[in-house]
Amino acid sequence: MKPSILTLAARHVVLILFALAFLMPFVGIVLAAFEGGQFEGGFALPRQWTLSNFVAAWEQANFTELMTSSLIIAVLVVPVAIVLSALAGYGLAVLRPPGGRVITGAFVIGLTLPTELVVIALYYNLDSVGLTNNYFGLALADIALFMPFGVYWMHTHFGGIPRELVESGRIDGASDLRVLRSLLLPVSVPALTTLAVLFFVWAWNQFLLVLVLMQSPARRTATAGLGIFVGEYSTNVPLLSAASFVVIIPVVIVYLVFQRSFVSGITQGAIKG
Amino acid sequence: MRRNLIAAAIAVTGVLALAGCGTGGTTATSTSTGGAVSTKVPDTPMTLTVDYASDPPITPLVDGFKKLHPNIKFKLVQTPFADYQTSLKLSLSSDNPPDIVQYSPGPMRAIVPAGLVQPLDGYAKAYGWKERVSPSLLGMLTSNKSATEYGSGTLYAMPGAVQMVGVFYNKKLTSAAGITTVPETVNELGRDLAKVKRSGVTPMTLPALGVGGFQLWSALANVYGNVNTFNKWVEGVPGTSLTSDSGFSKAAKQVQDWAKDGYFSSDASALADADAIAAFSTGKAAYYVTGNWNTEAFSKALGDDVGFFLMPGTSASQAAVATGSGFPYSISAKSKHKAAAAAFLDYMSSKASAQAIFDSGFVPVIPDSSVTDEGISGTIQNDYTKVVKGKGIAPFANWATSSMIDTLTAGVQGLLSGSTTPDAYVAALQSDWEKSQQ
Amino acid sequence: MRGGMKALLYVLPAGIVYVCFTLWPAFNTLYYAFLRWDGISAGVWTGLTNFEGVFTDPQLLGSIIHSLVLVVFFAVIPIGVGLLLTGLLMGRGTRGMTAFRVIYFLPQVVPLVAVGITWRWIYADQGPVNQFLRAVGLGSVAQPWLAQSSTALVAIGLVGTWCMTGLCMMLFVSGAQKIDDSLYEAASIDGAGALRRFQSVTLPGLRGEISVAAVITTIAALASFDLVYVTTNGGPNNSTTVPGLLVYRLAFSYNSIGPAAALAIILTILILIFVTVIRRTTQERS
């Protein structure tokens, strides 16, 4: 039963209104960031379009170092977290070790543990082994944080693959590792892509952990650097907006390119959950 | 299912037992001060790392020192003040601490007892610091080993410049409001604020999200209350209480009354220090009670239009007093270049650095009478001399405990909104103080 | 039982990292909660003092209450709005859902730090919100939202609503699309109107999605840190303190590790309680 034109129109109006509400702040950031003249406080087209705020923000916040740090962390965290999640998910879903239920349960609990629970002890533990203010220390902390979701995601994914595929590999005499590599991974690309995108975004946006574990301003990630930068320049909205823009852009681009993966990651989690 | 439960229980108990490891505390690397220390600066090339939050005065000090010792390079690491408190503790207790740090009393209360800061008595003797520098500047830098009581004990930091809080004003805006003379009493200042309000300008910018909010209260507390009580309170002398003198509550009431009269902007509680600096520098407010660390920024923005005077007293004849301190620096106990660092501390507090410090808007620790000018820096220096001759420098209120800065900030925000009474404000400060005394 | 011990090897790498850098620190935190410790010198056992402190210290208790208020704005309102819209938007013919989906998820993708910074100047005295109010004649309502203890928490809450509503909407709309049409037809035949159909078919069908949405948004509210740190830092006058902020402050500014750890433990317990309740109430009554 196709709804009437009026209903359809009303629906679209509502959807568009909400879309505007969600977009407004982003529009505001862009407009303010390009303002070369006196910023008046609201959403308004810039009186003078300029790129100077971006240059100033980049220099004053030392974005070269911040971006490098964020990239280093991303490169350290994402691949390792994916591999660990895939291995564990495979082991739990396909190979079914003893105590598998308890292990899965232990990971799932992690989905509800807040960072605050872990951050204090993490600081002192890492400090005693010299891993504070250190990319590896932060990377390991991030990876651990992502394990619950990663293991759960890959467990669910591998569990959904028909057993016949696995059995056929076994009959052909393939080892467990072979089965994983040659049979299962090729069909897991979408699931792995989703994981990669989510991990990248979460690692990029991480703030509290970086604030506590990285003391050198040069080693902080872009997000943490921004959080601290705001303390210094809170009145200069164009400058702050330009800085915010710089920090947001990488995740937004990754999101737009991979948005299908990203969305499926969240929505499919619901079905199985 | 039961088997899994038991296994889990055993695992948990085991982990909990093991979890105890790691809280044993660092072995304090307390270095003795009695050993002979040398005032000879090594002439081998070296790099000193300095952690700090505010600049100036560090850059002029470093530049001046480098000229005298070209073999010494400096690596300056800055963290904004709000985060400096946290990062200082983390960086000094790390394996690669800086050599010199800008002293911050909050975190120092944990760092000093852990032996992470170099006691300076040995160097003080060798260089003769205690004879050279005014005792009111060294008071808060001297404490017992557990850092609970100040004013006597071991010296843990040296002042590099004198910072002082007073009233900055915009000459153009005040004369446009019909104000011709600097106020001599607090009441006169109040009337001046009213005049500016009538002229359509925000009278005073008050950053109550930052430190500016309670620095106004401190400035008023200094003139309304007993300075000796206040000093003892900040120094942590047991038995001191702010509630014993009604002047502190009166100062809080003054802040609240001025807020009711509309002398601050309506969003004062969300105004950060940077916002207030910007507001004053662009002529949006006529007065700003803050310290001389902002002198350079104001001079650049307002030129000769910026003026300064000490917070006036209750009567014209009241002895001059102001909140302030030496801008202190400490040496890390794990530093590998202690002699050089000590030489830097000596330079900071000697006449040699006077010009560099004066030019940056600060008051030199040892003023050189030949170093002065007719402008704002000269005014501030003269006022400092008045204070030294009067009741002296009163320490910053937030130096009283490590949590005091937040209690003060929240308290002033409460005063501004009317939800906290002046007496409740003082009681909150006292209760925070008493908690840390345990 | 297939695989046996060899299977454990596959789980080991993830397990080791997870245990060392999440579970172990979590247990450590539990241990710290029983101590009086400044992070540098040796710790002293104080039993349950710190836990009591969480409930007797008005600051600490206040932070918990504030986070519960945030649950209303981060979870209840977005889920309500999401369900409402799902009811209105259901059915075929809606074009361009992909584009809408991209936009609706956007607030979830960007760092909360940037969100907080932006909303700070949006709420400012001369910011867009107040400008708009003045423009439509509601100038008397315009106020410095984040500068007043009476409005700051709600203002922050609404930022959370902005963040979470899109997520909830998309979760429910895509979930609703998976509900079997025959269920709706059966309900129609029974004479059920639109509202009844929503109640008896849509809502139950969205159990999973509601559960996930509720868990994600509730945890976001209770464990919030980034947003508050960047907008009000707990002010004005401690009216927007949240447990996350106080844990950070107590541990790293005041060197009071014990109380910080106790607060973190209580926060975790609170989260677990909420998650359990959510899962129980949305469970399939089979």
Side-chain angles (χ1 to χ4, degrees), chain B residues 364-378:
Chain B
V365 175
I366 308 293
D368 183 343
S369 52
S370 64
V371 175
T372 184
D373 69 19
E374 290 298 309
I376 185 134
S377 296

Side-chain angles (χ1 to χ4, degrees), chain B residues 211-257:
Chain B
V211 303
F214 65 80
Q215 281 182 348
L216 172 63
W217 170 77
S218 303
L220 291 168
N222 291 338
V223 301
Y224 279 122
N226 184 311
V227 174
N228 281 332
T229 310
F230 187 76
N231 289 358
K232 286 225 269 303
W233 185 78
V234 178
E235 285 173 3
V237 174
T240 329
S241 171
L242 281 189
T243 51
S244 65
D245 183 333
S246 63
F248 302 113
S249 178
K250 262 206 217 120
K253 183 162 186 313
Q254 185 66 275
V255 174
Q256 196 169 59
D257 287 343

Side-chain angles (χ1 to χ4, degrees), chain B residues 11-32:
Chain B
V12 167
T13 329
V15 178
L16 260 176
L18 288 173
C21 322
T23 59
T26 42
T27 37
T29 47
S30 54
T31 37
S32 66

Side-chain angles (χ1 to χ4, degrees), chain A residues 4 6 12 19 27 36 56 92 106 112 114 120 159 167 176 192 218 229 270:
Chain A
S4 68
L6 209 56
H12 280 94
V27 170
L92 287 171
T112 57
I120 306 174
E167 297 300 333
D176 289 329
L192 291 172
F229 184 70

Side-chain angles (χ1 to χ4, degrees), chain B residues 320-371:
Chain B
V321 64
T323 306
S325 78
F327 207 99
Y329 294 89
S330 297
I331 303 179
S332 158
K334 296 194 214 166
S335 166
K336 300 196 177 62
H337 307 290
K338 293 200 187 119
F344 180 67
L345 295 189
D346 178 65
Y347 165 76
M348 287 187 324
S349 55
S350 69
K351 267 211 183 134
S353 60
Q355 184 73 54
I357 297 178
F358 182 83
D359 289 339
S360 69
F362 278 86
V363 178
V365 175
I366 308 293
D368 183 343
S369 52
S370 64
V371 175

Side-chain angles (χ1 to χ4, degrees), chain C residues 47-65:
Chain C
L48 291 174
T49 324
N50 295 323
F51 290 101
E52 282 167 18
V54 172
F55 296 104
T56 53
D57 184 330
Q59 262 231 41
L60 299 182
L61 191 60
S63 72
I64 294 183
I65 296 179

Side-chain angles (χ1 to χ4, degrees), chain B residues 27 88 96 101 115 169 176 210 237 254 266 277 282 292 380 395-396 413:
Chain B
T27 37
L88 177 62
N96 228 348
V101 296
Y169 68 102
V237 174
Q254 185 66 275
S266 60
I277 293 174
T282 50
N292 58 340
I380 295 177
F396 288 98
Q413 288 169 338

